[in-house]
Amino acid sequence: MFKRILTTTLVIAALGVGLAACGGYGNDSTPAAAQAPAAGGATKVYVQDNTFKPGNIKVKSGNTVTFTNDGAVPHTVTATEGADFDSGTLAPGKTFSFVASGHGKLTYVCTIHPGMQGTIEVG
């Protein structure tokens, strides 16, 4: 009887972990390109410990993009191609916004953390 209860508990726990990893509560699994901008032509990107979420977005020219540092360490949001913006050092909890203009692909990085990058497609 004990083995049966233990096995059932392990199976239920494994299913719970599997559901959480596959898009359960709190995990936005919608592809970035399919996400609609927030009301008022604003799009939010969260800066979190070595990643931008979402990392690739599409916005209309004239929309505001706001980056919020939800991580525990400072980051930057620095354009590398297609635009000219730089947040400077963005402390945890702080935000940086810019208005996308023109058309095309913008790329940006965190200059503090190599490999941390994102793209904005302006249409």
Side-chain angles (χ1 to χ4, degrees):
M1 181 70 173
F2 178 73
K3 284 184 179 181
R4 186 176 189 185
I5 292 171
L6 182 61
T7 302
T8 303
T9 302
L10 289 174
V11 168
I12 290 171
L15 287 173
V17 169
L19 286 174
C22 292
Y25 178 78
N27 182 6
D28 186 359
S29 60
T30 305
Q35 292 178 349
T43 301
K44 294 183 180 184
V45 176
Y46 297 93
V47 184
Q48 299 174 329
D49 303 325
N50 299 326
T51 188
F52 293 104
K53 290 185 182 181
N56 304 299
I57 60 173
K58 289 185 178 182
V59 300
K60 293 181 180 181
S61 185
N63 283 12
T64 299
V65 180
T66 299
F67 295 84
T68 301
N69 185 350
D70 278 348
V73 298
H75 294 283
T76 71
V77 181
T78 307
T80 56
E81 188 176 327
D84 186 24
F85 59 83
D86 186 354
S87 66
T89 302
L90 195 61
K94 298 298 181 181
T95 62
F96 166 74
S97 296
F98 84 100
V99 177
S101 62
H103 291 77
K105 184 177 180 180
L106 313 177
T107 59
Y108 59 92
V109 299
C110 172
T111 59
I112 299 171
H113 301 100
M116 195 173 162
Q117 58 190 3
T119 62
I120 303 169
E121 196 163 323
V122 183

